[in-house]
Amino acid sequence: MQIKKAEYIISSPDYTMSPNPDKPEYAFIGRSNVGKSSLINMLCDNHKLAKTSGTPGKTQLLNHFVVNQEWYLVDLPGYGFAKVSISSRNRWQQMIENYLRKRENLVNVFLLIDARHEPQKIDLEFVNQLGKWEIPFSLVFTKSDKETQKVVSENVRSFLNRMKETWEFLPRHFVTSATKKLGRNKILDFIDECNAEFLKQ
């Protein structure tokens, strides 16, 4: 897939205010500071598209972008370390859950995992939550250039092994680096495949 154009459309506090569900949609979510904005910018080949920030918790709404006028990309608030009030966090959680469970054109969730670390409880819990809600997702291991290949491979294998304890089938996974554009083509090819399936429905 070639990205000819990617543009920001709208930020919404609720899925009901999102654009018409007339195109296949892909959501990106992960722990705060996992490198989500950098990954989105790398995929769309536009380093100014999603705002990157050193401050966790900057994304607080459902941010919609349209790519090639063919599909939607959604930047969801991160979970985890953001220093926000409990009421704000609860509001985010409800907003994310409503979006994930009720957005009818959502094709796949890309769950971002920091490849520099061993499996984190919070990520495994979110994986299981997606399973419980029966939402299709893929794993995207980020920041693979920030560690040795050996450490990254061990962390990825370890995460998948932890999932094998409770999952019969493992989701597709991608190892990425926003700096080196690693994994970009594989993710875009996967989206291409999913778009073709969506159009058949």
Side-chain angles (χ1 to χ4, degrees):
M1 180 196 292
Q2 279 199 315
I3 304 294
K4 300 184 194 88
K5 191 177 186 186
E7 54 188 334
Y8 165 79
I9 315 176
I10 192 172
S11 296
S12 325
D14 188 83
Y15 83 99
T16 56
M17 299 173 182
S18 298
N20 282 339
D22 55 357
K23 295 176 178 63
E25 188 157 294
Y26 302 86
F28 288 74
I29 192 167
R31 213 169 58 235
S32 295
N33 226 10
V34 75
K36 184 160 45 76
S37 300
S38 299
L39 180 87
I40 289 170
N41 291 344
M42 179 266 276
L43 287 176
C44 295
D45 208 14
N46 180 346
H47 68 281
K48 292 181 177 171
L49 194 65
K51 291 182 175 68
T52 54
S53 164
T55 313
K58 209 70 177 163
T59 306
Q60 300 185 14
L61 299 165
L62 309 170
N63 297 310
H64 269 79
F65 302 85
V66 65
V67 184
N68 291 347
Q69 294 301 320
E70 291 170 357
W71 53 278
Y72 292 124
L73 183 159
V74 188
D75 182 5
L76 296 176
Y79 53 85
F81 303 133
K83 290 177 181 170
V84 293
S85 66
I86 290 171
S87 61
S88 291
R89 195 174 298 161
N90 289 344
R91 193 173 65 245
W92 286 0
Q93 283 172 347
Q94 194 57 59
M95 173 181 74
I96 292 167
E97 179 179 343
N98 285 342
Y99 166 78
L100 292 174
R101 299 181 77 176
K102 297 176 182 177
R103 183 70 169 159
E104 59 201 82
N105 61 325
L106 179 63
V107 175
N108 188 71
V109 173
F110 289 100
L111 175 58
L112 278 57
I113 311 286
D114 193 327
R116 298 173 300 173
H117 306 305
E118 291 179 356
Q120 304 285 305
K121 183 170 178 262
I122 192 168
D123 292 327
L124 290 162
E125 283 173 351
F126 198 80
V127 157
N128 291 332
Q129 193 64 68
L130 288 172
K132 209 174 284 179
W133 292 337
E134 298 182 357
I135 292 163
F137 70 95
S138 311
L139 301 174
V140 179
F141 293 92
T142 61
K143 304 189 180 185
S144 68
D145 59 303
K146 305 276 194 287
E147 259 300 353
T148 64
Q149 211 173 338
K150 183 173 183 287
V151 169
V152 168
S153 297
E154 283 173 1
N155 288 339
V156 169
R157 190 165 55 246
S158 186
F159 194 94
L160 296 174
N161 283 340
R162 286 290 300 275
M163 281 190 70
K164 278 179 188 170
E165 293 169 13
T166 49
W167 287 72
E168 190 178 353
F169 301 106
L170 294 181
R172 197 181 290 219
H173 74 276
F174 306 90
V175 177
T176 67
S177 158
T179 315
K180 296 183 175 178
K181 297 202 170 182
L182 178 70
R184 181 175 187 266
N185 291 339
K186 287 183 178 176
I187 292 176
L188 291 178
D189 286 348
F190 173 62
I191 290 173
D192 224 3
E193 286 169 31
C194 294
N195 285 347
E197 285 298 315
F198 183 89
L199 291 172
K200 284 180 193 171
Q201 292 171 14

